[in-house]
Amino acid sequence: MSTLSTISAGTVVRGNIRGEGDLDIHGRVEGSIELGGEVLIAEGALIRSDVRARRITVRGAVLGNLSADESIVLEPGARVAG
């Protein structure tokens, strides 16, 4: 079972994120994201970087490339420019 981490709304992370667990992002990230688990980019979240993970679900906005080992899901309202 993977460990879940959360970047909450109103939080800004400037720097690279690497790990093996899952990550829910509700805030803003400016730096590459590389995870062995799942990444959820929630509605209202903004990512300004590339994202690589096992699975990626986008409900918010991404300005960067997405790369997943299993799946990338763009849900209604998702915005991706990469």
Side-chain angles (χ1 to χ4, degrees):
M1 185 168 141
S2 292
T3 302
L4 175 64
S5 297
T6 301
I7 297 172
S8 59
T11 301
V12 178
V13 175
R14 290 185 178 95
N16 299 331
I17 298 171
R18 289 190 172 84
E20 293 302 318
D22 299 336
L23 179 62
D24 285 0
I25 303 170
H26 298 268
R28 185 172 167 176
V29 176
E30 298 177 2
S32 68
I33 300 169
E34 294 183 31
L35 292 175
E38 299 181 35
V39 174
L40 167 67
I41 300 164
E43 185 177 345
L46 173 60
I47 310 303
R48 291 180 177 264
S49 68
D50 295 338
V51 180
R52 174 150 184 72
R54 184 168 38 95
R55 285 193 291 254
I56 302 170
T57 301
V58 180
R59 297 177 186 153
V62 178
L63 299 172
N65 297 319
L66 300 175
S67 178
D69 296 330
E70 293 181 12
S71 67
I72 297 172
V73 177
L74 302 178
E75 295 193 348
R79 297 173 314 278
V80 178

